[in-house]
């Protein structure tokens, strides 16, 4: 088995790995680098056959929906088969029409069935469902030429599916030649530090909501389904209805999981921001709107009792909230990666909050495993070799794990 990390050997984002066996090749993830301002075709890694003209390129296998693993998919030929989780595929397809830039349909290919192996040319692929902040996320075991490579994807051990992490520690895949493992948290937090669990987040939200006199706004991604569950549960404990926009409603619907909050649940309601109303008219999304309108509410109703509501905040709500006069006694809770805030992605929100005298509070936990969980993971899998990926600190790996071998971007190596 020959392997090349095209991107990701020393950065978080842009993950792309090519694996070759007997002249046939597969790609694991095809992500957008996190620091790129535009999603440009020139960012595509140099892989033969991304134009669909080389039958030796068998397909692209995605670990999960996050753009830093899937973002460059839009530039490859629709002839190339793509593998991913079935719910992940539905979520990506549901999100596509809402994206500001054009993204073609996701090419067909494979749909993962957790822990069920399937063959693609000389590669036997087994998807392992993992706990991550993206829904329906997988690690991938790739077997070919009598070698076994385990690609961790992104994972953690403190989310709502922590059981999956415990299961893999208890029953790890054995005889692993190479573990390609993410290390997002290395260098970001102290080695001893543990992350709060989603249940801790839920409890912190309950407290924050109970201290809020008016509308409680939680700025989180609709695709972070674990977090939406935490916000919904905390809202319910506070006798508040959780308001979501149409984007979040279709994402939750795409999970097709009856345990995940949906727009028609009594504790949920649909609130359409004005800009989205324009989008619905322009794109004739009337079916979509109808499907999610059983609990639709309008600003004037919220204005009467803002303390009866929590809003899954997205920046597109800003003007509606001013016009609707819903900000008296409101609170703003930032519930995603602090890096987006620090690099200025939400500066408009920052100024808007300052203007209205609302202070930002942060309640969040990482989508990635803490260093101690990474250590437990390596210990359980006991691979012959650990190769860093999806980390700004590959040089930290040898301090924490045995048998580390560092390979740079674009370098081919053999297992
Ligand atoms: Zn991710």
């Amino acid at each position: 088995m020959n392997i090349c990390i095209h991107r990701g050997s020393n950065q978080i984002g842009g993950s792309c790995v090519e694996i070759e066996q007997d002249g046939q090749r597969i790609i694991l993830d095809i992500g957008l680098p996190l620091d790129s301002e535009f999603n440009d075709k020139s960012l595509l890694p140099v892989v033969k056959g991304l134009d669909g003209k080389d039958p030796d390129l068998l397909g692209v296998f995605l670990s999960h929906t996050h753009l830093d693993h899937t973002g460059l998919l839009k530039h490859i030929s629709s002839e190339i088969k793509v593998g991913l989780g079935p719910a992940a595929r539905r979520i990506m397809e549901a999100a596509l029409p809402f994206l500001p830039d054009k993204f073609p349909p996701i090419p067909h290919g494979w749909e993962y069935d957790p822990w069920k192996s399937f063959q693609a040319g000389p590669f036997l692929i087994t998807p392992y469902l993992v706990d991550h902040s993206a829904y329906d996320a997988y690690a991938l075991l790739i077997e070919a030429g009598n070698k076994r490579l385990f690609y961790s994807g992104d994972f953690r051990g403190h989310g709502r599916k922590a059981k999956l992490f415990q299961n893999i520690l208890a029953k790890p895949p054995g005889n692993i030649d190479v573990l390609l493992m993410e290390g997002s948290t290395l260098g970001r937090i102290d080695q001893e530090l543990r992350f709060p669990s989603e249940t801790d987040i839920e409890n912190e939200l309950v407290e924050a909501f109970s201290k809020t006199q008016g509308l409680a706004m939680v700025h989180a991604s609709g695709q972070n389904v674990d977090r939406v569950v935490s916000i919904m549960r905390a809202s319910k404990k506070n006798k508040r209805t959780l308001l979501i926009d149409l984007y979040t409603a279709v994402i939750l619907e795409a999970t097709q999981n009856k345990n995940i909050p949906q727009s028609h649940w009594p504790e949920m309601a649909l609130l359409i921001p004005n800009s989205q109303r324009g989008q619905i008219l322009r794109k004739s999304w009337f079916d979509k709107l109808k499907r999610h309108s059983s609990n639709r509410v309008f600003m004037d109703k919220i204005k009467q009792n803002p303390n009866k509501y929590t809003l899954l905040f997205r920046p597109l709500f800003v003007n509606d909230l001013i016009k609707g006069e819903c900000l008296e006694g409101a609170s703003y809770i930032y519930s995603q990666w602090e890096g987006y805030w620090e690099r200025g992605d939400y500066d408009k929100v920052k100024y808007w909050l300052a203007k209205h005298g609302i202070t930002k509070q942060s309640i969040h936990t990482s989508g990635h495993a803490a260093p101690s969980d990474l250590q437990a993971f390596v210990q359980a899998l006991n691979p012959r070799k650990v190769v860093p990926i999806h980390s700004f600190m590959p040089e930290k790996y040898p301090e924490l794990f045995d048998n580390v071998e560092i390979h740079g971007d674009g370098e081919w190596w053999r297992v």
Side-chain angles (χ1 to χ4, degrees):
M1 207 191 279
N2 291 305
I3 301 153
C4 176
I5 301 174
H6 285 286
R7 199 178 277 130
S9 70
N10 59 3
Q11 64 174 293
I12 294 175
S15 289
C16 184
V17 181
E18 185 178 0
I19 304 176
E20 184 267 342
Q21 177 72 43
D22 304 330
Q24 299 200 284
R25 297 170 294 119
I26 56 171
I27 290 174
L28 309 181
D29 284 338
I30 185 148
L32 180 69
L34 273 185
D35 57 358
S36 51
E37 266 182 62
F38 301 99
N39 189 342
D40 196 276
K41 195 169 181 178
S42 65
L43 291 167
L44 262 190
V46 186
V47 176
K48 209 172 139 227
L50 287 178
D51 55 2
K53 289 180 181 153
D54 187 344
D56 291 336
L57 182 62
L58 303 173
V60 176
F61 296 86
L62 303 173
S63 58
H64 62 287
T65 57
H66 283 156
L67 276 181
D68 61 331
H69 294 255
T70 60
L72 297 181
L73 202 61
K74 64 185 274 187
H75 303 300
I76 70 167
S77 161
S78 58
E79 301 288 308
I80 298 172
K81 296 211 275 180
V82 172
L84 74 167
R89 182 182 286 277
R90 289 194 300 270
I91 287 172
M92 283 184 83
E93 278 164 359
L96 290 186
F98 289 88
L99 294 179
D101 54 343
K102 264 200 156 23
F103 210 106
I106 314 297
H108 292 285
W110 300 267
E111 289 202 346
Y112 306 154
D113 201 352
W115 307 287
K116 289 236 169 76
S117 307
F118 60 94
Q119 199 79 37
F123 303 96
L124 184 68
I125 299 170
T126 313
Y128 281 68
L129 190 64
V130 295
D131 181 19
H132 183 43
S133 47
Y135 193 80
D136 202 25
Y138 293 84
L140 298 168
L141 172 65
I142 313 287
E143 296 170 81
N146 287 321
K147 299 288 177 186
R148 285 157 67 84
L149 175 145
F150 196 85
Y151 173 57
S152 72
D154 288 357
F155 72 104
R156 62 177 171 181
H158 56 272
R160 292 202 174 270
K161 298 175 296 301
K163 186 97 191 357
L164 294 169
F165 177 69
Q166 295 305 330
N167 286 351
I168 203 164
L169 295 188
K171 260 185 88 178
N175 197 23
I176 298 297
D177 294 289
V178 184
L179 170 62
L180 261 178
M181 186 181 71
E182 73 124 316
S184 309
T185 62
L186 301 185
R188 276 187 177 174
I189 63 157
D190 281 346
Q191 207 169 310
E192 309 310 322
L193 204 86
R194 298 201 70 83
F195 287 120
S197 68
E198 275 298 326
T199 312
D200 296 332
I201 296 302
E202 180 184 325
N203 294 335
E204 283 182 52
L205 287 171
V206 170
E207 207 187 317
F209 294 166
S210 65
K211 285 183 187 153
T212 302
Q213 312 270 310
L215 178 69
M217 304 181 281
V218 189
H219 192 165
S221 160
Q223 287 205 31
N224 187 343
V225 174
D226 271 17
R227 188 60 42 83
V228 176
V229 171
S230 301
I231 299 166
M232 189 279 293
R233 289 170 59 100
S235 301
K236 198 174 170 182
K237 285 182 184 166
N238 236 269
K239 299 197 169 51
R240 287 172 184 260
T241 300
L242 174 58
L243 303 163
I244 54 171
D245 72 327
L246 189 61
Y247 166 78
T248 307
V250 301
I251 296 297
L252 297 174
E253 177 186 35
T255 63
Q256 288 186 11
N257 181 337
K258 61 176 175 20
N259 298 315
I260 299 299
Q262 301 293 333
S263 62
H264 63 266
W265 284 21
E267 46 277 83
M268 309 277 286
L270 183 76
L271 177 68
I272 305 279
N274 204 31
S275 59
Q276 209 163 57
R277 204 171 296 156
Q279 216 172 9
I280 292 165
L281 286 170
R282 270 196 316 281
K283 302 187 177 183
S284 303
W285 287 346
F286 305 114
D287 274 1
K288 221 185 282 241
L289 178 64
K290 202 173 159 205
R291 275 208 314 279
H292 295 288
S293 284
S294 55
N295 296 341
R296 185 171 175 187
V297 293
F298 293 87
M299 278 295 179
D300 45 353
K301 184 166 180 205
I302 297 164
K303 184 182 160 184
Q304 288 163 21
N305 290 99
N307 62 347
K308 293 273 173 244
Y309 297 94
T310 307
L311 172 66
L312 189 76
F313 177 89
R314 301 183 64 209
L316 77 176
F317 275 115
V318 162
N319 287 334
D320 301 72
L321 291 163
I322 302 170
K323 267 200 212 140
E325 298 167 22
C326 291
L327 293 172
E328 179 88 38
S331 65
Y332 171 85
I333 297 154
Y334 184 75
S335 191
Q336 48 192 351
W337 184 47
E338 214 59 44
Y340 298 132
W341 186 273
E342 283 158 12
R343 74 185 188 190
D345 288 15
Y346 298 122
D347 277 357
K348 275 189 187 157
V349 174
K350 190 158 125 185
Y351 301 133
W352 171 73
L353 290 172
K355 196 172 158 199
H356 292 273
I358 301 168
T359 45
K360 168 190 175 240
Q361 186 185 350
S362 290
I363 299 180
H364 182 55
T365 194
S366 177
H368 301 274
S372 54
D373 281 346
L374 291 174
Q375 280 179 311
F377 189 73
V378 173
Q379 219 158 42
L381 266 76
N382 193 24
R384 289 186 188 87
K385 212 188 279 186
V386 179
V387 177
I389 191 165
H390 204 271
S391 175
F392 283 118
M393 293 275 173
E395 64 274 14
K396 278 253 173 211
Y397 278 61
E399 292 173 25
L400 298 175
F401 321 114
D402 292 332
N403 309 319
V404 174
E405 206 173 279
I406 295 175
H407 292 284
D409 282 0
E411 174 196 337
W412 279 95
W413 39 283
R414 192 176 174 78
V415 180

PDB file of all heavy atoms in Angstrom, residues 63-69 132-134 137 153-155 182 367-368 390, ligand 1:
ATOM      1  N   SER A  63     -15.048  11.150   5.370  1.00  0.00           N
ATOM      2  CA  SER A  63     -15.255  10.741   6.764  1.00  0.00           C
ATOM      3  C   SER A  63     -16.510  11.395   7.335  1.00  0.00           C
ATOM      4  O   SER A  63     -17.276  10.764   8.052  1.00  0.00           O
ATOM      5  CB  SER A  63     -14.032  11.081   7.615  1.00  0.00           C
ATOM      6  OG  SER A  63     -13.749  12.464   7.556  1.00  0.00           O
ATOM      7  N   HIS A  64     -16.727  12.687   7.014  1.00  0.00           N
ATOM      8  CA  HIS A  64     -17.908  13.389   7.538  1.00  0.00           C
ATOM      9  C   HIS A  64     -18.146  14.667   6.749  1.00  0.00           C
ATOM     10  O   HIS A  64     -17.366  15.002   5.863  1.00  0.00           O
ATOM     11  CB  HIS A  64     -17.768  13.659   9.038  1.00  0.00           C
ATOM     12  CG  HIS A  64     -16.621  14.552   9.415  1.00  0.00           C
ATOM     13  ND1 HIS A  64     -15.311  14.147   9.378  1.00  0.00           N
ATOM     14  CD2 HIS A  64     -16.598  15.847   9.807  1.00  0.00           C
ATOM     15  CE1 HIS A  64     -14.534  15.141   9.749  1.00  0.00           C
ATOM     16  NE2 HIS A  64     -15.271  16.192  10.009  1.00  0.00           N
ATOM     17  N   THR A  65     -19.196  15.395   7.092  1.00  0.00           N
ATOM     18  CA  THR A  65     -19.679  16.494   6.246  1.00  0.00           C
ATOM     19  C   THR A  65     -18.895  17.799   6.365  1.00  0.00           C
ATOM     20  O   THR A  65     -19.064  18.676   5.521  1.00  0.00           O
ATOM     21  CB  THR A  65     -21.145  16.837   6.613  1.00  0.00           C
ATOM     22  OG1 THR A  65     -21.183  17.151   8.014  1.00  0.00           O
ATOM     23  CG2 THR A  65     -22.077  15.689   6.330  1.00  0.00           C
ATOM     24  N   HIS A  66     -18.090  17.975   7.398  1.00  0.00           N
ATOM     25  CA  HIS A  66     -17.440  19.286   7.599  1.00  0.00           C
ATOM     26  C   HIS A  66     -16.662  19.719   6.354  1.00  0.00           C
ATOM     27  O   HIS A  66     -15.977  18.909   5.725  1.00  0.00           O
ATOM     28  CB  HIS A  66     -16.509  19.242   8.816  1.00  0.00           C
ATOM     29  CG  HIS A  66     -17.253  19.302  10.115  1.00  0.00           C
ATOM     30  ND1 HIS A  66     -16.747  18.820  11.299  1.00  0.00           N
ATOM     31  CD2 HIS A  66     -18.479  19.804  10.404  1.00  0.00           C
ATOM     32  CE1 HIS A  66     -17.625  19.023  12.270  1.00  0.00           C
ATOM     33  NE2 HIS A  66     -18.684  19.610  11.754  1.00  0.00           N
ATOM     34  N   LEU A  67     -16.740  21.020   6.067  1.00  0.00           N
ATOM     35  CA  LEU A  67     -16.128  21.542   4.838  1.00  0.00           C
ATOM     36  C   LEU A  67     -14.625  21.304   4.767  1.00  0.00           C
ATOM     37  O   LEU A  67     -14.074  21.177   3.676  1.00  0.00           O
ATOM     38  CB  LEU A  67     -16.399  23.051   4.727  1.00  0.00           C
ATOM     39  CG  LEU A  67     -17.743  23.458   4.117  1.00  0.00           C
ATOM     40  CD1 LEU A  67     -17.844  24.970   4.065  1.00  0.00           C
ATOM     41  CD2 LEU A  67     -17.923  22.869   2.712  1.00  0.00           C
ATOM     42  N   ASP A  68     -13.969  21.260   5.920  1.00  0.00           N
ATOM     43  CA  ASP A  68     -12.517  21.026   5.865  1.00  0.00           C
ATOM     44  C   ASP A  68     -12.188  19.574   5.498  1.00  0.00           C
ATOM     45  O   ASP A  68     -11.022  19.193   5.393  1.00  0.00           O
ATOM     46  CB  ASP A  68     -11.813  21.475   7.157  1.00  0.00           C
ATOM     47  CG  ASP A  68     -12.282  20.742   8.389  1.00  0.00           C
ATOM     48  OD1 ASP A  68     -13.456  20.316   8.425  1.00  0.00           O
ATOM     49  OD2 ASP A  68     -11.482  20.595   9.333  1.00  0.00           O
ATOM     50  N   HIS A  69     -13.243  18.764   5.268  1.00  0.00           N
ATOM     51  CA  HIS A  69     -13.069  17.390   4.779  1.00  0.00           C
ATOM     52  C   HIS A  69     -13.779  17.149   3.433  1.00  0.00           C
ATOM     53  O   HIS A  69     -13.569  16.124   2.802  1.00  0.00           O
ATOM     54  CB  HIS A  69     -13.579  16.378   5.815  1.00  0.00           C
ATOM     55  CG  HIS A  69     -12.757  16.394   7.064  1.00  0.00           C
ATOM     56  ND1 HIS A  69     -11.848  15.414   7.372  1.00  0.00           N
ATOM     57  CD2 HIS A  69     -12.667  17.315   8.055  1.00  0.00           C
ATOM     58  CE1 HIS A  69     -11.252  15.723   8.498  1.00  0.00           C
ATOM     59  NE2 HIS A  69     -11.727  16.868   8.944  1.00  0.00           N
ATOM     60  N   HIS A 132     -18.528  12.688  16.966  1.00  0.00           N
ATOM     61  CA  HIS A 132     -17.926  13.934  16.495  1.00  0.00           C
ATOM     62  C   HIS A 132     -19.027  14.994  16.441  1.00  0.00           C
ATOM     63  O   HIS A 132     -20.208  14.655  16.518  1.00  0.00           O
ATOM     64  CB  HIS A 132     -17.295  13.714  15.104  1.00  0.00           C
ATOM     65  CG  HIS A 132     -16.585  14.913  14.544  1.00  0.00           C
ATOM     66  ND1 HIS A 132     -15.765  15.706  15.302  1.00  0.00           N
ATOM     67  CD2 HIS A 132     -16.581  15.460  13.298  1.00  0.00           C
ATOM     68  CE1 HIS A 132     -15.285  16.683  14.539  1.00  0.00           C
ATOM     69  NE2 HIS A 132     -15.777  16.559  13.322  1.00  0.00           N
ATOM     70  N   SER A 133     -18.645  16.257  16.277  1.00  0.00           N
ATOM     71  CA  SER A 133     -19.664  17.314  16.230  1.00  0.00           C
ATOM     72  C   SER A 133     -20.415  17.330  14.900  1.00  0.00           C
ATOM     73  O   SER A 133     -21.424  18.023  14.770  1.00  0.00           O
ATOM     74  CB  SER A 133     -19.023  18.674  16.500  1.00  0.00           C
ATOM     75  OG  SER A 133     -17.853  18.826  15.728  1.00  0.00           O
ATOM     76  N   ALA A 134     -19.940  16.596  13.904  1.00  0.00           N
ATOM     77  CA  ALA A 134     -20.719  16.409  12.672  1.00  0.00           C
ATOM     78  C   ALA A 134     -21.532  15.125  12.823  1.00  0.00           C
ATOM     79  O   ALA A 134     -21.039  14.144  13.384  1.00  0.00           O
ATOM     80  CB  ALA A 134     -19.806  16.292  11.464  1.00  0.00           C
ATOM     81  N   ALA A 137     -20.627  10.665  11.350  1.00  0.00           N
ATOM     82  CA  ALA A 137     -19.183  10.764  11.052  1.00  0.00           C
ATOM     83  C   ALA A 137     -18.515   9.399  11.240  1.00  0.00           C
ATOM     84  O   ALA A 137     -18.925   8.605  12.089  1.00  0.00           O
ATOM     85  CB  ALA A 137     -18.528  11.787  11.966  1.00  0.00           C
ATOM     86  N   GLY A 153     -10.382   9.996  10.853  1.00  0.00           N
ATOM     87  CA  GLY A 153     -11.320  11.100  10.608  1.00  0.00           C
ATOM     88  C   GLY A 153     -11.228  12.057  11.784  1.00  0.00           C
ATOM     89  O   GLY A 153     -10.182  12.137  12.434  1.00  0.00           O
ATOM     90  N   ASP A 154     -12.312  12.776  12.084  1.00  0.00           N
ATOM     91  CA  ASP A 154     -12.363  13.628  13.280  1.00  0.00           C
ATOM     92  C   ASP A 154     -13.195  12.893  14.323  1.00  0.00           C
ATOM     93  O   ASP A 154     -14.251  12.351  13.995  1.00  0.00           O
ATOM     94  CB  ASP A 154     -13.046  14.965  12.970  1.00  0.00           C
ATOM     95  CG  ASP A 154     -12.176  15.875  12.123  1.00  0.00           C
ATOM     96  OD1 ASP A 154     -11.029  15.502  11.818  1.00  0.00           O
ATOM     97  OD2 ASP A 154     -12.662  16.975  11.768  1.00  0.00           O
ATOM     98  N   PHE A 155     -12.750  12.907  15.560  1.00  0.00           N
ATOM     99  CA  PHE A 155     -13.524  12.188  16.582  1.00  0.00           C
ATOM    100  C   PHE A 155     -13.269  12.771  17.963  1.00  0.00           C
ATOM    101  O   PHE A 155     -12.352  13.554  18.174  1.00  0.00           O
ATOM    102  CB  PHE A 155     -13.191  10.689  16.565  1.00  0.00           C
ATOM    103  CG  PHE A 155     -11.801  10.366  17.107  1.00  0.00           C
ATOM    104  CD1 PHE A 155     -11.644   9.832  18.385  1.00  0.00           C
ATOM    105  CD2 PHE A 155     -10.673  10.619  16.340  1.00  0.00           C
ATOM    106  CE1 PHE A 155     -10.378   9.535  18.885  1.00  0.00           C
ATOM    107  CE2 PHE A 155      -9.397  10.327  16.833  1.00  0.00           C
ATOM    108  CZ  PHE A 155      -9.261   9.787  18.104  1.00  0.00           C
ATOM    109  N   GLU A 182      -6.030  12.164  13.634  1.00  0.00           N
ATOM    110  CA  GLU A 182      -6.166  13.607  13.819  1.00  0.00           C
ATOM    111  C   GLU A 182      -5.622  14.029  15.187  1.00  0.00           C
ATOM    112  O   GLU A 182      -5.653  13.257  16.148  1.00  0.00           O
ATOM    113  CB  GLU A 182      -7.647  14.018  13.718  1.00  0.00           C
ATOM    114  CG  GLU A 182      -8.511  13.628  14.910  1.00  0.00           C
ATOM    115  CD  GLU A 182      -9.224  14.837  15.527  1.00  0.00           C
ATOM    116  OE1 GLU A 182      -8.577  15.888  15.701  1.00  0.00           O
ATOM    117  OE2 GLU A 182     -10.414  14.703  15.858  1.00  0.00           O
ATOM    118  N   GLY A 367     -15.258  19.571  19.282  1.00  0.00           N
ATOM    119  CA  GLY A 367     -15.677  18.400  18.511  1.00  0.00           C
ATOM    120  C   GLY A 367     -14.571  17.366  18.424  1.00  0.00           C
ATOM    121  O   GLY A 367     -14.746  16.324  17.780  1.00  0.00           O
ATOM    122  N   HIS A 368     -13.440  17.657  19.053  1.00  0.00           N
ATOM    123  CA  HIS A 368     -12.261  16.797  18.901  1.00  0.00           C
ATOM    124  C   HIS A 368     -11.798  16.226  20.243  1.00  0.00           C
ATOM    125  O   HIS A 368     -11.992  16.837  21.290  1.00  0.00           O
ATOM    126  CB  HIS A 368     -11.121  17.601  18.265  1.00  0.00           C
ATOM    127  CG  HIS A 368     -11.508  18.154  16.930  1.00  0.00           C
ATOM    128  ND1 HIS A 368     -11.383  17.433  15.770  1.00  0.00           N
ATOM    129  CD2 HIS A 368     -12.056  19.341  16.575  1.00  0.00           C
ATOM    130  CE1 HIS A 368     -11.829  18.157  14.752  1.00  0.00           C
ATOM    131  NE2 HIS A 368     -12.241  19.318  15.214  1.00  0.00           N
ATOM    132  N   HIS A 390      -4.254  16.354  10.278  1.00  0.00           N
ATOM    133  CA  HIS A 390      -5.262  17.245  10.833  1.00  0.00           C
ATOM    134  C   HIS A 390      -4.805  17.805  12.181  1.00  0.00           C
ATOM    135  O   HIS A 390      -5.512  17.758  13.185  1.00  0.00           O
ATOM    136  CB  HIS A 390      -6.588  16.480  10.989  1.00  0.00           C
ATOM    137  CG  HIS A 390      -7.812  17.358  10.987  1.00  0.00           C
ATOM    138  ND1 HIS A 390      -8.322  17.915  12.132  1.00  0.00           N
ATOM    139  CD2 HIS A 390      -8.625  17.770   9.995  1.00  0.00           C
ATOM    140  CE1 HIS A 390      -9.409  18.613  11.831  1.00  0.00           C
ATOM    141  NE2 HIS A 390      -9.601  18.546  10.540  1.00  0.00           N
TER     142      HIS A 390
HETATM  143 ZN1  LIG B   1     -14.898  17.692  11.600  1.00  0.00          ZN
END
